[in-house]
Amino acid sequence: RRFKAQDKFRAVKTFIESNRHHITPRKITLNDIGFGPQAVNVLIKIFKKCPYVSYLELRNNNLQDEGTKRLAGFLRQSTSLVHVDL
């Protein structure tokens, strides 16, 4: 079965949230998933719960200007995220 972008994102979010006490990821790679601007709010929630993430890779998604601006606004306030690859 093919997963929709939202299903993939939900699976990643669930994995991170359920394992955050057992693993210490430093990098999140979510390439080619098809995230749109609406996914930025969920990404921000994940970053707030996982402050130790220092590298985010989101290549080949559909964040568009709106999503990119929202993400950039959050990242300006975040001190833990060092590198973002769009």
Side-chain angles (χ1 to χ4, degrees):
R1 139 182 149 121
R2 291 187 60 116
F3 289 100
K4 294 181 181 177
Q6 290 177 343
D7 293 335
K8 289 179 185 178
F9 188 77
R10 196 171 300 125
V12 169
K13 179 183 175 204
T14 301
F15 174 79
I16 290 171
E17 288 178 350
S18 64
N19 292 294
R20 68 184 170 139
H21 298 292
H22 305 290
I23 59 173
T24 310
R26 300 278 183 224
K27 177 180 179 179
I28 296 179
T29 301
L30 302 169
N31 296 330
D32 302 307
I33 294 179
F35 288 146
Q38 69 281 1
V40 171
N41 293 333
V42 180
L43 282 172
I44 290 171
K45 288 179 185 178
I46 289 173
F47 295 135
K48 287 180 179 178
K49 290 183 179 186
C50 303
Y52 40 79
V53 174
S54 59
Y55 187 101
L56 173 63
E57 191 173 321
L58 289 171
R59 284 189 250 158
N60 300 321
N61 284 290
N62 297 314
L63 294 177
Q64 302 170 357
D65 289 344
E66 175 189 340
T68 303
K69 285 178 186 177
R70 259 190 294 165
L71 184 59
F74 169 77
L75 296 177
R76 277 189 216 112
Q77 299 170 357
S78 173
T79 58
S80 63
L81 211 52
V82 176
H83 183 85
V84 179
D85 189 357
L86 298 173

